């Protein structure tokens, strides 16, 4: 991920998830770390299975009672939904995560970025043309930051089902 090669990171993380899951670990630490890298890489790469990968991370983190990774998974899931299905659904997901975890600066930045993307949905968005703000992820991204959330949202254009209201997406 630090080399901004998310497809390679997905392959390596997928192998790590399979290995960690097959070892019947007493501590889920390695499994959760690998699953987080896999989900993050899928989002960064714009992979077709990113939504499912993020949903798997949420379930796994909840199973092991890892609240921080559940929140990271929830955020990544919202981004994948925005990129592949619906800005309206992504806004609702972000609202729920924000309500559960408090109005952290990272979520405020994400919500503003998403609303701005919806307001400018008619403008062309060309992913990968500019150097990304942040390439760190997974193990080296233990918590959400404003730069991280903005970067993930801006990696790929969203699927817009916005209303014409000035506030951006319909809530």
């Amino acid at each position: 991920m630090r080399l901004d090669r998310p497809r390679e990171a997905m392959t390596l993380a997928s192998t790590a998830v399979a290995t960690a899951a097959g070892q019947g670990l007493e501590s889920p630490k390695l499994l959760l770390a690998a699953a987080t890298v896999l989900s993050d890489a899928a989002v960064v790469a714009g992979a077709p299975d990113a939504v499912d990968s993020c949903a798997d991370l949420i379930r796994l983190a909840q199973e092991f009672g890892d609240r921080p990774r559940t929140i990271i998974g929830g955020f990544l899931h919202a981004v994948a939904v925005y990129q592949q299905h619906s800005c309206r659904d992504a806004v609702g997901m972000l609202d729920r995560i924000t309500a559960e975890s408090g109005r952290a600066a990272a979520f405020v930045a994400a919500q503003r970025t998403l609303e701005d993307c919806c307001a400018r949905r008619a403008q062309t968005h060309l992913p990968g043309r500019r150097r990304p703000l942040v390439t760190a992820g997974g193990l080296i991204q233990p918590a959400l930051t404003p730069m991280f959330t903005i970067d993930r949202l801006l990696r790929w254009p969203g699927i817009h089902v916005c209303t014409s209201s000035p506030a951006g997406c319909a809530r």
Side-chain angles (χ1 to χ4, degrees), residues 2 12 19-20 22 25 40-41 47 61 63 88 93 117-119 137 155:
R2 291 189 343 209
L12 293 170
T19 301
L25 301 171
D40 189 27
E63 180 181 327
R88 185 178 298 142
M93 295 168 85
C117 287
C118 289
R155 286 293 177 136

Side-chain angles (χ1 to χ4, degrees), residues 49-135:
D49 63 346
V51 172
D52 292 336
S53 178
C54 295
D56 290 344
L57 172 60
I58 294 167
R59 283 190 293 276
L60 188 63
Q62 287 174 336
E63 180 181 327
F64 289 108
D66 189 324
R67 184 159 167 70
R69 287 198 197 271
T70 300
I71 293 169
I72 290 170
F75 169 74
L76 290 171
H77 191 234
V79 172
V81 166
Y82 166 68
Q83 292 171 350
Q84 297 180 16
H85 298 293
S86 162
C87 67
R88 185 178 298 142
D89 292 345
V91 166
M93 295 168 85
L94 281 176
D95 285 346
R96 282 189 296 281
I97 294 167
T98 302
E100 292 172 10
S101 61
R103 294 203 47 85
F107 294 119
V108 171
Q111 288 173 316
R112 286 186 183 146
T113 301
L114 189 54
E115 288 173 2
D116 185 51
C117 287
C118 289
R120 295 189 289 137
R121 66 188 174 275
Q123 296 177 8
T124 305
H125 174 87
L126 301 172
R129 305 265 305 175
R130 288 182 286 147
R131 184 80 182 129
L133 299 171
V134 152
T135 55

Side-chain angles (χ1 to χ4, degrees), residues 28-38 69 138-139:
K29 195 173 187 177
L30 294 175
L31 177 60
L32 286 168
T36 304
V37 173
L38 178 59
R69 287 198 197 271
L139 270 173

Side-chain angles (χ1 to χ4, degrees), residues 147-169:
M147 292 287 282
F148 179 83
T149 60
I150 292 169
D151 176 76
R152 293 316 188 253
L153 280 166
L154 295 179
R155 286 293 177 136
W156 298 99
I159 301 298
H160 291 279
V161 290
C162 309
T163 65
S164 58
S165 68
C169 294

